[in-house]
Structures are given as C-alpha cells and as structure tokens.
Amino acid sequence: MKTSLAPCSFSCENLQRSVFTSFNLDKGLARLNPEQTRAVLHSSGPMLVLAGAGSGKTGVLTLRVARLVRGEGVDPSEILAVTFTNKAASEMKARLRTLIGPEATQCEVSTFHSWCLKMLRFYGHHLGFSRRFVIYDPKDCEGLATRLLGKRYSAPEIKDFLRQVDRWKNDGLWPEQVSGPMSDAYAHYQTRLRQEQAVDFGDMLLLVVQLLTHFPAVRDKIRSRARFLLVDEYQDTNQAQFQLVGLLADHGPRNIFVVGDEDQSIFAFRGADIANILSFEQQFPGGEVVRLESNYRSVAPILQSAGQMVAHNVQRLGKTMHPTRLYDETKQGVRVLRVPGPWAELDRMAQVVSHELVGVLPCEVAVISRTNRKLRMAEERLRARGVRCRVIGSVGFYDRKEIKDCLALLRVAIEPHDDAAFSRSFLLMKGFGKAALEGVADEAIRADCSLWDAASRIMGEGRGARGLGAKLKTFTDLILGASSLAPGTPPLFVLEQLFDSAGMAEQMDRQAKGRAARQANVMALRDVVSRLEAPTWREAISEWLDKVSLDPAQEEREDTVSILTAHKAKGLEFQVVCVLGWTQGEFPHFNSIPDDLEEERRLGYVAMTRAKDRLYLISAQTDQRGDPLPLSQFAAEAGL
C-alpha cells in the first residue's frame, strides 16, 4: 500500500508558516507601550486613536489588523483598511504579510480612491456605468470643460470652474444641491462625463456614496466586506469621505477604528475638514479615545518646541508628546538662523546642507519651504555646490508629454468613446490640426454624442471640411486595428503598433532639445508595459491604467537631498531638516493671517516634526527691496 507524503508535507509547511507569523505577531505586541497595546487589543465598537507625530501609528494599525485575524478569528476578507496614499497602503500590506502570512492578501488595504474605483467596477452598472468606464485626470477634465464651455468662459475661468467643481465634490454635493452662476455649468459638465462613460477623482467617492445610499442590496454586500473598518489619517478626510465612512460603519456594533492627529490637519485647501476628527465622539457616541503620546522620532528640543507652538491652537482634542530618544545637546536640537536677506538665506541653507553631508547620508537631509516659489532656487543653489538633490513634486514620469501621449493611444484603443484620449491621440497624427478636431467636436455637440460617434457620422454622411473625412478614416482605422488585436496579444505589441502607426517616433525626433530624455522615457514605459500580466491585453492595460490614474508618482531616488514643500513633507522623516522662510508673512503665509492661522500653525508643526536630530529654521531679516522682515511669530510661540 502506497502512502502519499504530499498532504503531510503541505501541512508541515503551513504549520511552519503559522509558527513564524505567530512569532512575528507576538514579537510586535511585546514591543508596544501601554497606550498602543490598548488600541491594538480593542475588541469591537468605535475607537479614535489620536496618534501624534512619530508615535508609531502604522505599527498600531497593522498589529490591530493582525490581532483581529489571529486573536479574534475575524475573516480577513471582512477587514477594510483605507488610507490616503498608495505608499502607506503598500507599507501596511508588507507589514501584514510579515505578521499573518498569505492571509494578508485577503484583507482589503487600499486608498479611498482605489477602493471606490474597485466598487464602481463591480457595482457601477446600477448607476448606468459599464465596467470599462474611464478615469479623467485633471488635464482630461480641463479639456472636457473647454469643449463644453470654451465659447463662454476664458481659460482662467475654466480653471476656476474646475476648482469650484472639485470643492463641491469634496463637500459631497451634486449639481442639484448647489446654486450660483456655475451650477448650470456643473450640471452640464456632469451630464457630459456620464455620456462619455467617464469619472473624475471626485466622482469616485460620491458615486459610491450614491450606491450605499440608494441600493440597499449593494450596501449590504459592501458592508459585509467591511465589517471591521480602519481609517488612517482621519484628520485629512473631506465631507464626501466622512459620508462614506459613516455609511460603511453605521450598522451592527459599528466596528470603526480611526487613527489621526488633529495637529497635522493641513489639507483644508483640498477639502479636508478638521471637524471630522474633532466630532468623532459625537458621530459615534460611546466610542473610546486613546492618545499615543510617546514620540520615537524627534529628540526632546525639537519635540518640545513644536509642541509648545501648536498648543496655541484652539481646535484641538489635546495631547502632550513625550520624547523617548536620548539626545546630545552639543550635536542635536533646534537652531534659528537669521541672515541678512533672501539670497543669504539660500546661501546659508546650502552651507548647512553641505556641512551636514560630511557625516549624514543625502537621503537623511531635507530642505522644506512653505511655498513652491523657493524650491527651484534652493535646487540651483545646492547644485552649484555639487550637492545631489531633487525637488519632490516636480513633473512626474506619467505627467511627461510623450508618456501621456502613449497613454492616450492605449486608452482610446480600449475605449474609443473616451473623448479626452480621442482628442489627444487625434492631434498626434501628422497633419491633423486643431481645426479638424474642432470640426469633429462641433458635430459631437450638435448630435449630443461622443467624438468617436461624431467621426463616424461625418464619414458616413460625407460631411465636414475638405479632407476631414479622409483624416478621420486614417485615425479610426489606426484605433480599430489595435482594438481588433487578438486577446492574447502581448500588451507591449499593442503599444508599439499604436506608437508606430501614429508616427510618434518621427514627431519625437523633430525637436532636438530633450530628444534623448524623451526617447529614454518611452523606453522606460515600454519596459513597464512589457511586464504587464493578465489573461488579455485589454485587462492588463486597463488595470495598469487605473493604477497610473490614481497614483502617477514614481519612486524617488534615495541618494539625494530632498527639496519639498511642507505639505509634501507630511508622512516623511529626516535626520536633518532646514526650513526656509521662517519669517512673518511667509511662515505663516500672509494670505492665511488671521483666518487660517491655526492651519498654518499645524503646517509649521508638521515641518518641524519631520526632523529627527537637527532642525534649522532659517529667516531673512529683509526682503529683496531691503524692507525689514520680522521673524515668524511661530518662533516666539515655540519658545525659540
């Protein structure tokens, strides 16, 4: 009689993995302080974790999930953890894999927008969307608004209109819920988005709120996959996200676990509402509040100065951060550097950075500014000294023209009714100008249809300006040729066929300046596309385009000094930080005094608490005209 060893082998492998992950979980739990332990071991019901800067909130979140799965026996597929950046989501996923093994993949760890996109792909048909709806980025939205409103609004007015639409959507408002001179344009804009089977970033949240509000069966299905809801950076939620969280959590024992810090609420300009975190106990009566007040990042002088400053705010739930690191007062701490003028400010910053790089890795040094204005000047000054540096938040890989052109070709091949991709791709063709595109756009407006359908009407009826029909046939044949490729065709072959047929190589060669960089970028894109995997090329490219639309940022190099705004610095940490513009009127910014002074103070707190060992606050005594500049009021508030 033969005995199979396979089941035993498999069982031993599982046992070994279980022992390993249990060891990691126990080890992680053993390292927690009492407040962190209380948060992680919380069983059910609402909980707010007030996590100060550097207090280990990511560890608490991931250990909380691991404890639910391993300690409480919760089905990992019933856990939803949402945050604001793909970087944070990826870090949580990696930690969970270490703590609970393969079961981590069953937990839904995602950004708000990525999760909402997933729900719309599943349930959007209830709202009239096909599974192949497209995501419009800000440039696409601008193009759509221009096509709709360009004859009534100037280019600056269209930008103002889109900013207002974004504010309305952040506040959870549809066209029928607003009034004013732009309300009709908002309704027209939304109607056109729906006709083009497109959504913008704000739509993703509001549409899922609609699903949860108006479709009880869908709501029950979604809630069953979010029985335990965890929200990171709760202080950054806007009203649409607040509504979404409320709808998801408002059932059963209300197992909602939110982590945030009201002292780091700095995104009001994006619609973030600090009232959401301040009112947590009113929204979820009976909820517990835990304060994480041990800081594992900054030495005492940095932490005490920042804490003393932000304590001047009224909009706080209140906490006192305590340093856990020992420090050497001869090598660590805070320095305010007053210099004669703005150029001396940049020179002093460059001197400080150059001096610090003698004993500190470049990736551990950051230059932070309140506004974008000084970033490039700081970069130039550092490069003049031979310092390798990078401006974080500059033009990203997927925002470069040649890359956006390639993406537009792929998008229109997958969904020909994507007007934004149609427009951009059409203008890539040699000899195809704006006048020809306007002819198609006029027909689309008259017939109330997509550009693709308008092109078909023009060709079918033989209308349009001289030569337009022939151009449209050339273009549509190109797109149909790619669309008809066999499902198993490699994604790279699809890209190359479109690239070659559109004559992009020739176009890129026309301008000598930057040619090598453009060619290198396209080669890098080809490398990315060559590694896409899915049963069909449409699925592979569609999934990838969704990811690119939601998170176009590329991984930054780590062998350089970082130059960034205080807003971009949120969530980062460095051994050494230089803050530029520590003057009244710049930090705090004069536009924010007095109405938004508390948010400015929180922004200053974020900038200061990025530093682990040394913090330099650099302030010019005069402006370019020689007029005196007072030191920032934050210096006195911080006791400096």
Side-chain angles (χ1 to χ4, degrees):
M1 177 176 168
K2 293 183 179 179
T3 302
S4 172
L5 296 178
C8 180
S9 175
F10 180 75
S11 176
C12 289
E13 182 183 333
N14 282 350
L15 177 62
Q16 187 178 36
R17 185 186 294 122
S18 176
V19 170
F20 175 72
T21 55
S22 295
F23 171 77
N24 285 334
L25 177 57
D26 291 342
K27 188 176 179 182
L29 292 171
R31 291 177 175 176
L32 299 177
N33 63 41
E35 292 77 21
Q36 291 173 328
T37 300
R38 181 182 162 200
V40 169
L41 297 184
H42 176 66
S43 56
S44 64
M47 173 170 275
L48 165 62
V49 179
L50 285 177
S55 62
K57 70 178 180 65
T58 303
V60 167
L61 270 169
T62 51
L63 283 167
R64 160 79 173 155
V65 173
R67 180 71 171 72
L68 286 173
V69 175
R70 286 282 182 259
E72 302 291 333
V74 172
D75 184 341
S77 67
E78 295 179 343
I79 297 173
L80 170 62
V82 288
T83 185
F84 280 83
T85 68
N86 280 282
K87 180 181 178 182
S90 297
E91 183 180 351
M92 283 185 66
K93 289 176 184 176
R95 292 195 187 191
L96 280 173
R97 283 194 295 271
T98 301
L99 291 170
I100 62 175
E103 285 180 289
T105 60
Q106 298 177 47
C107 300
E108 185 70 55
V109 181
S110 181
T111 64
F112 273 101
H113 285 90
S114 293
W115 181 79
C116 285
L117 175 60
K118 186 175 181 178
M119 294 303 100
L120 289 175
R121 294 289 185 207
F122 276 117
Y123 304 112
H125 60 278
H126 292 281
L127 300 172
F129 287 95
S130 76
R131 291 197 65 164
R132 288 165 54 186
F133 69 81
V134 296
I135 305 167
Y136 276 7
D137 67 15
K139 279 293 183 183
D140 297 330
C141 294
E142 188 176 335
L144 170 60
T146 301
R147 294 195 300 276
L148 289 176
L149 310 170
K151 294 182 180 178
R152 284 190 290 155
Y153 290 7
S154 66
E157 288 173 329
I158 285 173
K159 290 182 184 294
D160 287 341
F161 164 72
L162 290 173
R163 280 192 286 268
Q164 181 58 61
V165 167
D166 189 54
R167 284 193 289 269
W168 278 326
K169 292 185 178 183
N170 285 337
D171 289 339
L173 300 173
W174 289 108
E176 60 271 18
Q177 297 171 290
V178 303
S179 59
M182 291 184 179
S183 57
D184 289 342
Y186 181 22
H188 195 191
Y189 172 81
Q190 285 302 120
T191 299
R192 190 63 189 180
L193 273 175
R194 183 65 62 92
Q195 289 173 342
E196 296 182 12
Q197 284 288 292
V199 299
D200 61 20
F201 291 163
D203 285 335
M204 291 184 209
L205 299 170
L206 288 185
L207 289 170
V208 174
V209 168
Q210 271 196 343
L211 283 171
L212 293 169
T213 303
H214 300 297
F215 298 90
V218 173
R219 179 173 63 236
D220 291 343
K221 288 180 182 178
I222 292 177
R223 281 177 172 174
S224 71
R225 307 290 289 184
R227 196 161 66 88
F228 287 84
L229 175 63
L230 299 91
V231 185
D232 191 15
E233 304 287 6
Y234 193 62
Q235 78 282 348
D236 291 334
T237 53
N238 57 34
Q239 279 303 305
Q241 290 158 337
F242 184 72
Q243 291 175 25
L244 180 63
V245 167
L247 286 165
L248 286 172
D250 190 19
H251 68 104
R254 299 175 303 157
N255 290 320
I256 178 170
F257 183 93
V258 306
V259 180
D261 180 5
E262 80 278 22
D263 291 336
Q264 296 187 72
S265 180
I266 60 172
F267 293 109
F269 68 97
R270 292 183 187 168
D273 189 347
I274 192 174
N276 294 347
I277 191 170
L278 297 178
S279 65
F280 180 84
E281 292 178 276
Q282 287 73 51
Q283 187 191 14
F284 298 100
E288 292 186 57
V289 178
V290 174
R291 287 171 167 79
L292 304 186
E293 298 178 310
S294 296
N295 178 284
Y296 299 94
R297 176 190 300 157
S298 305
V299 293
I302 296 171
L303 195 62
Q304 290 166 0
S305 296
Q308 189 173 329
M309 178 189 71
V310 81
H312 285 75
N313 277 356
V314 174
Q315 290 183 301
R316 300 185 74 219
L317 293 171
K319 59 187 171 303
T320 302
M321 300 302 295
H322 307 288
T324 60
R325 295 179 57 207
L326 298 176
Y327 81 98
D328 181 344
E329 62 182 8
T330 65
K331 297 180 180 179
Q332 298 167 312
V334 185
R335 291 186 63 189
V336 176
L337 304 177
R338 286 284 269 171
V339 295
W343 298 113
E345 178 185 14
L346 293 168
D347 286 336
R348 188 62 188 276
M349 174 275 298
Q351 291 171 4
V352 169
V353 171
S354 298
H355 173 74
E356 288 287 356
L357 289 177
V358 174
V360 178
L361 292 173
C363 63
E364 285 288 349
V365 179
V367 177
I368 295 177
S369 172
R370 167 64 182 83
T371 63
N372 286 295
R373 183 175 57 88
K374 287 185 175 178
L375 300 183
R376 288 299 174 192
M377 291 187 288
E379 180 187 29
E380 291 170 4
R381 198 57 53 95
L382 288 174
R383 289 191 183 280
R385 282 180 165 262
V387 174
R388 292 170 62 84
C389 56
R390 59 192 168 117
V391 175
I392 295 179
S394 56
V395 178
F397 178 76
Y398 288 107
D399 290 324
R400 300 183 187 279
K401 180 184 180 303
E402 60 275 10
I403 302 303
K404 289 183 77 71
D405 289 343
C406 290
L407 298 188
L409 286 167
L410 291 170
R411 282 170 51 187
V412 78
I414 290 172
E415 178 47 77
H417 297 282
D418 181 342
D419 280 6
F422 182 105
S423 300
R424 190 176 191 108
S425 301
F426 186 84
L427 293 174
L428 290 176
M429 306 290 287
K430 185 177 181 180
F432 289 27
K434 290 185 178 180
L437 181 60
E438 287 172 1
V440 183
D442 288 343
E443 175 63 22
I445 292 172
R446 276 194 297 272
D448 194 20
C449 64
S450 68
L451 294 176
W452 182 267
D453 287 341
S456 299
R457 292 168 64 92
I458 292 171
M459 289 188 292
E461 299 173 13
R463 295 186 290 107
R466 182 181 178 184
L468 179 57
K471 290 179 179 178
L472 289 174
K473 187 174 188 313
T474 299
F475 179 70
T476 55
D477 284 350
L478 182 156
I479 301 304
L480 290 172
S483 297
S484 62
L485 289 170
T489 302
L492 180 58
F493 183 87
V494 180
L495 172 62
E496 290 179 336
Q497 176 166 315
L498 289 165
F499 185 88
D500 294 339
S501 300
M504 279 193 64
E506 180 184 346
Q507 292 185 46
M508 288 170 55
D509 286 341
R510 287 178 193 165
Q511 190 175 359
K513 185 177 180 181
R515 181 189 299 153
R518 290 192 297 273
Q519 291 172 340
N521 289 335
V522 171
M523 287 299 295
L525 182 70
R526 281 177 166 152
D527 180 59
V528 171
V529 173
S530 70
R531 290 183 273 115
L532 299 180
E533 293 182 0
T536 69
W537 67 264
R538 284 181 181 277
E539 291 176 88
I541 292 175
S542 295
E543 291 172 6
W544 170 65
L545 288 174
D546 279 352
K547 292 177 182 177
V548 169
S549 296
L550 295 174
D551 184 31
Q554 291 291 287
E555 289 188 11
E556 303 283 0
R557 285 167 45 180
E558 296 186 350
D559 60 345
T560 55
V561 171
S562 297
I563 307 171
L564 66 171
T565 63
H567 286 100
K568 287 285 185 184
K570 177 75 166 55
L572 304 177
E573 61 180 34
F574 305 90
Q575 194 172 336
V576 178
V577 170
C578 294
V579 180
L580 295 172
W582 201 249
T583 55
Q584 193 70 7
E586 186 166 353
F587 216 148
H589 198 273
F590 65 89
N591 285 339
S592 301
I593 304 172
D595 295 341
D596 298 316
L597 184 59
E598 290 210 356
E599 175 122 346
E600 285 291 297
R601 194 174 281 118
R602 292 192 291 267
L603 188 59
Y605 176 80
V606 167
M608 294 174 74
T609 54
R610 299 312 93 193
K612 292 188 282 188
D613 290 339
R614 289 182 291 284
L615 172 65
Y616 299 90
L617 305 171
I618 308 177
S619 171
Q621 294 175 330
T622 63
D623 61 18
Q624 291 178 333
R625 298 184 301 272
D627 294 332
L629 290 173
L631 183 64
S632 170
Q633 70 180 80
F634 295 160
E637 292 175 1
L640 299 172

